[in-house]
Amino acid sequence: LSSWSAKSLSFAGRLLLIKTVITGITTFWCSTFILPQACVKRINSLCGVFLWQGNIEQHHTARVSWEVVTKPKREGGLGIKNLSIWNKACCLKLIWLLFFQSGSVWVAWFKTEVLNGNLSNLWITPPNRRYSWQVNKLLKLSSEIFSCVKLRVQNGQSCLFWSDNWSPYGSLRSYLLDGSASTLGIPDHATLATLHINNNWMLPPARSERLVNIHALLTTINLNEIEDYYEWEVDGKVSDTYSMGKIYEKICLAGASVPWCESVWNKAGIPRHSFLTWLFVLNRCPTRDRIRGWGFQTDT
DNA sequence: TTCGTGGGGCGACCTTCGAT
DNA sequence: ATCGAAGGTCGCCCCACGAA
């Protein structure tokens, strides 16, 4: 950030540098560790002072808050990645690895030491002092991508009735129980195979509409000899690969779109005019001298 | 298993700084 | 003088960790 070539960049150039090079460097660390909040804050602070001042030794002041700058363009920001959420999206890949890259030593270790040999335990293993800070962070993060890890029922032997994502209704614990302590007489660790006896599903009588749905769903399932398997499904599409970008968008809480988006950026997010237009519509119009200082042509 | 200690996260509040 | 954003401090809560 403090190199001479970076100092000579315009506002648009600095923005591009942050979006590509700087985000690329942080992604290396983001993909391996959950970064402490203080670290995220410091990186954001450095990027902020660089974007507005171009010189990280100066005092940090900004015309638009970093919170707004990191929003997507359609929501009024500049589309810089929110580092904290990006960090989550990168680390969720570790959970993806657990299910879909079984050859790794780390995956074997995690499965044995933390999950007791069964991947389904990921959804029900609470953080514990026995585990490291990182492992506990991952356990807490796992709920973020529960909906993407679909269990395809075959023989039903590894499919936990309450916890696995095997039905279109997601976790049955929240769908059927909704916080209630009763488990309808179905044991916590019941698998679909243990509930299927003599070709009958051993479920309590349906006393609610939701339980009727589950009864109906189970009548469509025929257990066979093949082992249950997992599939990675994002927004209804099954995929073999993990896309950090897609997961980032998924876990970002989408805010309201701004009506002026299309008049400032085109559909691909490329500026229709100059970046000043963006500052004008945000009512953060700076002085002529500041504009020249940022590397803009003021007549534009 | 319980208890004390220390550190991280986070919100509230205030100060500093630059732009107008 | 005013406004808005960043940064610092403080207190509270939660959790990890070690000692008893």
Side-chain angles (χ1 to χ4, degrees), chain A residues 254-297:
Chain A
S257 298
V258 291
W260 45 264
C261 174
E262 293 253 332
S263 54
V264 175
W265 322 103
N266 70 12
K267 281 194 177 169
I270 296 164
R272 286 186 186 278
H273 311 289
S274 85
F275 279 89
L276 281 179
T277 320
W278 174 68
L279 284 166
F280 271 94
V281 293
L282 282 172
N283 201 17
R284 299 282 193 276
C285 170
T287 59
R288 265 183 117 73
D289 287 344
R290 281 304 290 163
I291 291 169
R292 288 201 192 89
W294 287 346
F296 286 116
Q297 296 298 317

Side-chain angles (χ1 to χ4, degrees), chain A residues 185-223:
Chain A
I186 302 170
D188 264 356
H189 283 80
T191 62
L192 285 195
T194 61
L195 293 174
H196 192 246
I197 300 168
N198 297 333
N199 259 346
N200 280 317
W201 291 102
M202 307 305 283
L203 251 64
R207 292 206 183 92
S208 68
E209 195 180 323
R210 291 188 171 189
L211 198 48
V212 171
N213 290 341
I214 300 303
H215 274 272
L217 174 66
L218 285 172
T219 58
T220 66
I221 294 178
N222 293 312
L223 298 187

Side-chain angles (χ1 to χ4, degrees), chain A residues 53-275:
Chain A
Q53 307 283 139
N55 180 353
I56 57 170
E57 272 94 44
Q58 287 181 8
H59 179 267
H60 187 176
T61 183
R63 298 213 57 89
V64 179
S65 74
W66 194 247
E67 194 185 341
V68 173
V69 168
T70 53
K71 283 182 180 174
K73 284 181 175 169
R74 65 174 182 278
E75 290 171 25
L78 285 178
I80 295 177
K81 292 267 189 304
N82 178 315
L83 187 56
S84 186
I85 299 175
W86 182 243
N87 191 195
K88 271 190 195 174
C90 293
C91 280
L92 284 172
K93 185 175 184 181
L94 296 175
I95 293 176
W96 177 84
L97 287 174
L98 282 177
F99 288 93
F100 304 103
Q101 292 285 308
S102 54
S104 134
V105 173
W106 178 80
V107 168
W109 172 82
F110 197 97
K111 194 175 164 187
T112 308
E113 293 294 324
V114 182
L115 303 180
N116 251 336
N118 186 352
L119 288 175
S120 295
N121 285 336
L122 179 69
W123 315 119
I124 52 174
T125 303
N128 188 297
R129 50 189 289 183
R130 284 193 295 126
Y131 310 136
S132 67
W133 185 80
Q134 282 290 332
V135 167
N136 282 335
K137 281 277 184 185
L138 276 184
L139 289 173
K140 285 178 195 167
L141 268 185
S142 61
S143 61
E144 302 262 4
I145 54 163
F146 174 80
S147 63
C148 301
V149 183
K150 294 278 185 190
L151 194 147
R152 306 298 183 202
V153 180
Q154 298 295 322
N155 63 10
Q157 287 180 5
S158 65
C159 175
L160 295 181
F161 177 83
W162 287 116
S163 327
D164 269 316
N165 188 11
W166 61 274
S167 80
Y169 309 108
S171 159
L172 294 195
R173 196 179 296 278
S174 34
Y175 182 69
L176 290 178
L177 304 183
D178 203 21
S180 141
S182 149
T183 57
L184 307 172
I186 302 170
D188 264 356
H189 283 80
T191 62
L192 285 195
T194 61
L195 293 174
H196 192 246
I197 300 168
N198 297 333
N199 259 346
N200 280 317
W201 291 102
M202 307 305 283
L203 251 64
R207 292 206 183 92
S208 68
E209 195 180 323
R210 291 188 171 189
L211 198 48
V212 171
N213 290 341
I214 300 303
H215 274 272
L217 174 66
L218 285 172
T219 58
T220 66
I221 294 178
N222 293 312
L223 298 187
N224 55 45
E225 300 303 314
I226 307 168
E227 279 190 17
D228 300 331
Y229 63 94
Y230 289 99
E231 261 185 349
W232 181 245
E233 187 182 304
V234 183
D235 298 332
K237 286 183 191 157
V238 175
S239 164
D240 290 334
T241 52
Y242 183 89
S243 160
M244 289 184 200
K246 276 188 190 164
I247 297 301
Y248 175 83
E249 282 181 19
K250 194 171 171 61
I251 61 178
C252 260
L253 292 173
S257 298
V258 291
W260 45 264
C261 174
E262 293 253 332
S263 54
V264 175
W265 322 103
N266 70 12
K267 281 194 177 169
I270 296 164
R272 286 186 186 278
H273 311 289
S274 85
F275 279 89

